[in-house]
Amino acid sequence: QVQLVESGGGVVQPGGSVTLSCAASGFIFSTSAVHWVRQAPGKGLEWLTVISDDGDYKYYADSAKDRFSISRDNSRDTLYLQMSLLRAEDTAIYFCARESVVGDVFDIWGPGTMVTVSS
Amino acid sequence: QSALTQPASVSGSPGQSITISCTGTNNDIGSYNVVSWYQQTPGKAPKLVLYGVNKRPSGISNRFSGSKSGNSASLTISGLQAEDEADYYCCSYARGSTLYVFGTGTKVTVL
């Protein structure tokens, strides 16, 4: 079935780095834009970044543009999010989400991976 | 870009209708018919329930409907059922570097 599955979360020290992965299956990954969205504990959803289907275009939220980097490997059906200089406020569940063919809608979400920034 | 404003909680009895509002600005909701709504139950990923203001994805009950007026959008759930108890988030495309802005979220309780 159509699905996304994130991995790579865990406990990271302040100032550290981590790379999250999102494995896609059940659809033609290379034809979809994909996004990262996060949710701090007990808080709402926050859009972070998107990458176009071919990887040529990337856009970032103001909160992500200086420290986060999105990339994809269409040969591996995998999306990535590199995060650096992590702060306590980056503690959150990180979701990857597929953009629908109609555009500007997140129609498939992964279950998320938790990143905890703590010493 | 600030989050869209939603009421923190809305409740209703089974069979009743409830409406969740989502207020933005002319930099987001007011400028684009790109409003979507997501349902999230505890410990789960969000699930799309409406897009394009009032379109339902395949498999979503016609008890869910949406509208938009000016800088605000709304989600109405009619014939409220116990399974509708969840958090609901609106989302809009936005002008600026932060392309999408979510609402603050509304907890729906079925009494």
Side-chain angles (χ1 to χ4, degrees), chain B residues 12-30:
Chain B
S13 299
Q16 286 187 328
S17 292
I18 61 168
T19 296
I20 303 168
S21 62
C22 172
T23 302
T25 70
N26 55 14
N27 288 321
D28 38 68
I29 293 176

Side-chain angles (χ1 to χ4, degrees), chain B:
Chain B
Q1 184 74 310
S2 299
L4 307 174
T5 301
Q6 297 180 233
S9 62
V10 173
S11 62
S13 299
Q16 286 187 328
S17 292
I18 61 168
T19 296
I20 303 168
S21 62
C22 172
T23 302
T25 70
N26 55 14
N27 288 321
D28 38 68
I29 293 176
S31 291
Y32 307 99
N33 287 324
V34 185
V35 179
S36 51
W37 290 87
Y38 301 87
Q39 176 193 65
Q40 187 180 34
T41 52
K44 300 292 188 181
K47 175 184 176 182
L48 176 67
V49 294
L50 279 181
Y51 67 97
V53 178
N54 58 6
K55 299 178 178 61
R56 282 177 286 107
S58 173
I60 298 300
S61 170
N62 59 8
R63 297 184 298 105
F64 291 83
S65 61
S67 64
K68 189 192 109 167
S69 178
N71 295 340
S72 294
S74 62
L75 168 70
T76 297
I77 308 175
S78 58
L80 198 62
Q81 299 179 1
E83 67 199 46
D84 299 329
E85 194 161 280
D87 294 325
Y88 290 82
Y89 294 90
C90 57
C91 181
S92 174
Y93 183 81
R95 190 176 298 157
S97 55
T98 300
L99 295 183
Y100 300 91
V101 59
F102 282 94
T104 50
T106 298
K107 182 176 181 60
V108 168
T109 301
V110 181
L111 302 172

Side-chain angles (χ1 to χ4, degrees), chain A residues 17-28:
Chain A
S17 302
V18 69
T19 297
L20 306 181
S21 300
C22 170
S25 60
F27 67 99
I28 304 174

Side-chain angles (χ1 to χ4, degrees), chain A residues 31-91:
Chain A
T31 63
S32 295
V34 276
H35 301 248
W36 287 99
V37 175
R38 71 180 177 182
Q39 185 172 37
K43 302 297 184 181
L45 301 169
E46 179 188 12
W47 178 82
L48 292 175
T49 179
V50 59
I51 187 168
S52 60
D53 54 2
D54 58 6
D56 283 351
Y57 298 97
K58 305 173 185 180
Y59 299 94
Y60 297 90
D62 290 340
S63 59
K65 63 176 54 173
D66 295 327
R67 299 180 297 119
F68 295 0
S69 178
I70 190 171
S71 61
R72 66 190 295 162
D73 184 343
N74 285 345
S75 69
R76 297 177 181 271
D77 293 341
T78 303
L79 172 72
Y80 302 99
L81 182 66
Q82 292 179 276
M83 303 190 293
S84 61
L85 299 174
L86 287 165
R87 310 188 276 245
E89 51 264 40
D90 296 316
T91 294

